[in-house]
Amino acid sequence: MFDLRPAGYVIGILIMALGGAMVLPMAMDLIDGHGNWVAMGLSAFTTVLIGGAIALCCHNATTGTLNIQQTFFLTTGVWLVLPVFGALPFVWGATDARFVDAFFEAMSGLTTTGSTVFTGLETLPRGLLLWRGLMQWFGGIGVVVVAMVFLPVLRVGGMQIFRTEGFDTFGKILPRAAEISRSISSIYLCLTLICMVAYSMAGMGLFDASVHAMTTIATGGFANYDNSFGDLGAAAEYIAVVFMILAALPFVRYVQLLGGSVRPIWADPQIRGFIYTLVIVVGILVAWRWYFITNSFEFALRKAAFNGVSILTGTGYASADYMTWGAFPITFFFLIGLIGGCAGSTTCSIKIFRFQLLFASISAQIKRIHSPHGIFKPRYNKTTVQEDVVSSVMAFLVLFLVTLAVLAVALGMTGLNTITSISGAAAALANIGPGLGSEIGPAGNFAGLNDNAKWILAAGMLIGRLELMAVYVLFTATFWRG
Amino acid sequence: MFDLRPAGYVIGILIMALGGAMVLPMAMDLIDGHGNWVAMGLSAFTTVLIGGAIALCCHNATTGTLNIQQTFFLTTGVWLVLPVFGALPFVWGATDARFVDAFFEAMSGLTTTGSTVFTGLETLPRGLLLWRGLMQWFGGIGVVVVAMVFLPVLRVGGMQIFRTEGFDTFGKILPRAAEISRSISSIYLCLTLICMVAYSMAGMGLFDASVHAMTTIATGGFANYDNSFGDLGAAAEYIAVVFMILAALPFVRYVQLLGGSVRPIWADPQIRGFIYTLVIVVGILVAWRWYFITNSFEFALRKAAFNGVSILTGTGYASADYMTWGAFPITFFFLIGLIGGCAGSTTCSIKIFRFQLLFASISAQIKRIHSPHGIFKPRYNKTTVQEDVVSSVMAFLVLFLVTLAVLAVALGMTGLNTITSISGAAAALANIGPGLGSEIGPAGNFAGLNDNAKWILAAGMLIGRLELMAVYVLFTATFWRG
Ligand SMILES: [K+]
Ligand SMILES: [K+]
């Protein structure tokens, strides 16, 4: 067994920060004169207090560095513990939620999944709506930092291929995380502000523009309306498309762009692969919609682009009930949700680079036909891919699909029907948000599910967000040994 | 481009053999005094004639050996061309089928899938029922030979791990195929005869016992009744369970068993893995059924064991409409269909050894946590697994799941609903037979599907039966080069 305290210290600090962030929604409710501010304040107080206590208990063991086990423990621990505190405002506040619902909503927020158990969002105090947005926004930046700093070091899901990307010097992991957080955070904040301004110019109120900007850049998908983006207007839809795409690109490229270097963006095989995928996906959907509906081309283009990009990037907004688009688009939406964006963005799911590495590996295998004894290594981004990257990626792909299946079976066991089970499992694991079918589809929500299903889905969100292996290793004896 | 004639010669010979086999159903119809014998005879004549012509055209190029491209071409060519001839009796005979239906049925037969487009099977001439059984029986032995001789040499789907299994001397591929065919065929014939006798003793008529014995040992699943095994009695169900399990084990072990060596059976990690899986799968189903229905334990055990083993081995018989068993068993049946039996048996699907290699690879990755720079190779059957085996298996798993998804989308595009699309894709690709839902589920059949869906499913059967890569390489430029 190893010393849990260095990881506990960081978790304590992050809990305190989460509690600190609750002051914003409390202020919002105070301004609105809504009594919900008491619950927000109480949550903030409790959270800061407990976070501080944890940090204090652990702080004398910190050395500014973590070993590999402590890093794994920290990564999963953060996403497991923060939702417990993020849930408090829903339990104590105007939603008066049971803990299972509150925890589901907080996990859905912090993992940027965006599935919601609350209905009548329009009637909620603005403090709670802001809290939902803030959780996704913090979750989003957390995800980028984890993907850039922790997962490559932990060799999770082939992420080790990005080890020397962008930040070449490998020092102690915590200072490095802080350094990357700083440079990425400013980009993240700028993108959010620009998105907010754009939404305002499209006619959204300042509050809606702020919350939706946060959940757009986080590819989170929480909206302030039960009808999601259904009634926010055409301009808002187009703006969302642009920013969802920007949020799906590797954030390190923006840092390089601000440094004056445009080339990394064009040269990045992930970005090229994502753009190709995007064009094909939207193209197919537009063609299908234009051919089968009598509306204008602009309408078909907008609805196809918005909902297609929303699912491809795993944001999960909806501006149309695509369950009514016919059998093909429904299956198509299920599948594009399994693609995802680029590694190092706020998106989840399988991600473009894993498909590219898969194709590279298969292509190397086919080359062996002519020279069975030749050595053909898969290549990516003009270099040979190490063997352990390939097996990590392959294992990720298989584990992802197996986990999807296990979650679907488990959901089926709780009594959910087939389409709800399968699409719900995918919506959670790939952090998309909405599933398919009448219950949890784009026109539904997760309120009516049984408690067991909600726990299973929350577990799926956590597992998917941490790229599976970061969670699964904690369940192995090898991990806890020595 | 390479010389296609050596492969063409073998295909010609096999077409002639298929035509020769049509004499049996012709004789059956003659005995029954059914006019269908004319169609059977005409099909036999045409098939032998064309097969002979092809063999003659190609025979002066044969050298008794095939290079790797010719072997690929032969493997896929056989399973693409034979169904065209196998379809003739359905087009010309009492079924008076359109070519798409006849081809679907023949492909379903020769790949041992067992999906059927014919209804009122009870009213068909016995010659056609026998022909369905014979196609599966020949398909089954063909599958074992391909799995033991061709796929290991072609390094398809990780099958190279079985390269030196059982038959140690690697000589010329055609003599070797003939040698293995001989020893395996006698085992195959014996098993079929014992199964037939057992079915007879359970009260089945000689004809039904023969056809069902053939489709059991082939894990094919064609039955002589629309209701499959629903009305054949408890004894027949138990017998079927035993022989479906026997047919899912590697046939080479029976050869070794007859050679006096029992050890290889107990020592085979595939067999152990399969038996464990079997016990767990049936155990879960029995527990579920016993808990939720009011019938006796025997009834729960029998229905769970029969239908569970039938889907796990990909046989595809049904003795109950498990669509009425509730949401969990339905999802469960979908998933166990993706497991399959042992490599070197007549079963299809992913197969036990690939799951074992997957777990071995993941386990090696987890060991890297403690020593990030250590070299951990996956181990299987007490030896280190070569890198190219691991990447082949991983690529197979991913390709399998991606192909499943693509087939499901394609089926969705033809207008099929979600459960029919997804389960139909799995039923074809894993050569199971029945899908899920009311249309193609255990109580339905494939008659009512549109033509495009039938072509897509037939393609899925072929791709799945040849373990994907054997088909896919034919679509690469690399393959045809040089
Ligand atoms: K999302
Ligand atoms: K079958």
Side-chain angles (χ1 to χ4, degrees), chain A residues 68-69 72 154-155 157 160 163 288 327-328 330-332 334-335 355 358-359 361-362 365-370 372-373 377 387-388 390-399 401-402 405-406 408-410 412-419 421-422 469 472-473 476-482, chain B residues 68-69 72 154-155 157 160 163 288 327-328 330-332 334-335 355 358-359 361-362 365-370 372-373 377 387-388 390-399 401-402 405-406 408-410 412-419 421-422 469 472-473 476-482:
Chain A
I68 199 153
Q69 288 153 299
F72 269 113
L154 302 179
R155 300 165 167 261
Q160 57 265 49
R163 276 182 104 159
W288 182 274
F328 162 66
I330 293 172
T331 322
F332 193 70
F334 176 78
L335 293 173
F355 287 101
L358 168 70
F359 294 139
S361 169
I362 290 174
Q365 286 177 45
I366 287 174
K367 287 200 188 110
R368 244 179 243 136
I369 292 171
H370 280 272
H373 301 289
K377 297 273 186 194
E387 183 192 341
D388 83 298
V390 177
S391 38
S392 291
V393 167
M394 295 289 212
F396 174 90
L397 288 167
V398 177
L399 274 183
L401 296 162
V402 171
V406 171
V409 174
M413 287 182 71
T414 72
L416 270 50
N417 67 31
T418 307
I419 189 167
S421 300
I422 295 178
M469 277 303 254
Y472 288 158
V473 289
T476 62
T478 312
F479 176 77
W480 296 98
R481 199 186 56 199
Chain B
I68 199 152
Q69 287 153 300
F72 270 112
L154 302 180
R155 300 163 168 262
Q160 56 266 46
R163 276 183 103 158
W288 182 275
F328 162 68
I330 293 172
T331 322
F332 193 71
F334 176 79
L335 293 172
F355 288 100
L358 168 69
F359 295 139
S361 169
I362 289 173
Q365 286 176 46
I366 287 174
K367 288 199 188 114
R368 245 179 244 135
I369 291 172
H370 281 273
H373 302 289
K377 297 274 187 194
E387 184 193 339
D388 82 297
V390 178
S391 37
S392 290
V393 166
M394 295 288 211
F396 174 91
L397 289 167
V398 177
L399 274 182
L401 296 161
V402 171
V406 170
V409 174
M413 288 182 70
T414 72
L416 270 50
N417 66 31
T418 307
I419 189 167
S421 299
I422 296 178
M469 277 302 257
Y472 289 157
V473 290
T476 62
T478 313
F479 176 78
W480 297 97
R481 198 187 57 199

Side-chain angles (χ1 to χ4, degrees), chain B residues 56-101:
Chain B
L56 264 181
C57 288
C58 300
H59 104 282
N60 52 356
T62 52
T63 57
T65 184
L66 298 174
N67 69 21
I68 199 152
Q69 287 153 300
Q70 289 166 330
T71 311
F72 270 112
F73 182 77
L74 169 63
T75 310
T76 303
V78 166
W79 259 276
L80 195 59
V81 171
L82 289 194
V84 174
F85 296 94
L88 294 181
F90 302 117
V91 175
W92 291 336
T95 39
D96 202 16
R98 293 177 309 126
F99 182 69
V100 55
D101 284 323

